[in-house]
Amino acid sequence: MPVIAVDKPLTLTSHDVVNRARRARSTRRVGHTGTLDPLATGVLVLCVDDSTKVVQFMEADTKDYLAWISLGAGTPTLDAEGPVDARADVPDLTEAQVREVLATFVGPQAQVPPQYSAIQVGGQRAYAVARAGGALDLPARPIVIHELELLGLYPSVQAAPHTFDPQTWRPADSGHTFTLPDPLGEFPTLLVWARVGSGTYLRSLARDVGAALGVPAHLGGLVRTRVGRYDLRDAVTLEGLAEAEGIPDLAALDFPVIAADDRLARELRQGKRPAHGAAGRFVVTLGGQLVAVVDGDGQQLKVVRAWA
């Protein structure tokens, strides 16, 4: 234990944050539940020591983002790292037109990942090949975009809101002010709130939204405001990592609970498949302590992960 939500600063990689956590917590056993790009900020969920066991159950959590999509300029990285390698004049757009386009992206999608990503093909990392001047054939992957809300259309990233109400993560006169990457120019910019499923690349979404509007586009800024039950307003800073209490494994697992007796707990810890009428994925507890995560088929329970 514990599970800790950290507010990742700009320019650090997720691995940088993991290394900081290892030093702060005096342990090598630190994992995270979903990478954030260096030019993105916001919630990065860390699992420390024995809590690394719960990472596999949290990777599928939905995530919320604030995305600044800059139109009329494309980049190889699909974000503000640059350089700009494609330009086009942006037609006059109304918010109604943009909302109509965004609506086409809601639901199950097939999304092509960025070339600058950690995806492996044939043992090669896509970003390593891209940095060497090549490109891998990255097939489209199934994703789900649950919600997309246009918060505004602005003449540039600089002119778009940077301050938000931390209760709603909508633009406000006071509240939480975000630092975005240095802009690559003054390009018309969409401010979008997104709720997406696992494996969704917001950089690819920016590219695809631009294409649907007939122009190249890149992600001018990105903030992750929520991962599963972890909201940015409750996240700790890097400086607060050493003292952060976090939450225990049981509270981090968002599954219904089966309260076991001694026999059931013992059989699950032995890897057996005891008879039980539950169907679906459950957390099993004994006296309030975590025993296992199990899958039930309505007849018996199968252990996915057990705790001593």
Side-chain angles (χ1 to χ4, degrees), residues 133-153:
L136 293 180
D137 181 16
L138 299 179
R141 306 191 308 172
I143 62 162
V144 178
I145 297 177
H146 297 283
E147 297 180 59
L148 287 177
E149 179 183 350
L150 179 67
L151 302 183
L153 175 57

Side-chain angles (χ1 to χ4, degrees), residues 83 95 139 165 223 267 287:
E95 292 193 359
D165 179 349
V223 177
E267 290 183 356

Side-chain angles (χ1 to χ4, degrees), residues 192-257:
V192 175
W193 176 85
R195 174 165 292 170
V196 305
S198 178
T200 304
Y201 283 91
L202 272 291
R203 287 182 288 143
S204 291
L205 178 63
R207 173 200 63 203
D208 296 342
V209 168
L213 292 169
V215 295
H218 69 276
L219 202 57
L222 184 67
V223 177
R224 189 154 70 191
T225 59
R226 185 189 62 84
V227 176
R229 62 177 61 189
Y230 303 94
D231 194 276
L232 178 58
R233 62 176 171 267
D234 302 317
V236 302
T237 64
L238 289 184
E239 293 72 25
L241 269 172
E243 295 79 28
E245 292 185 8
I247 67 171
D249 297 352
L250 181 56
L253 293 169
D254 195 16
F255 303 119
V257 176

Side-chain angles (χ1 to χ4, degrees), residues 3-26:
V3 179
I4 304 170
V6 180
D7 183 1
K8 187 193 86 67
L10 192 67
T11 72
L12 291 186
T13 67
S14 297
H15 189 63
D16 291 335
V17 175
V18 167
N19 283 337
R20 299 276 189 98
R22 286 170 175 164
R23 292 194 295 269
R25 308 292 297 200
S26 299

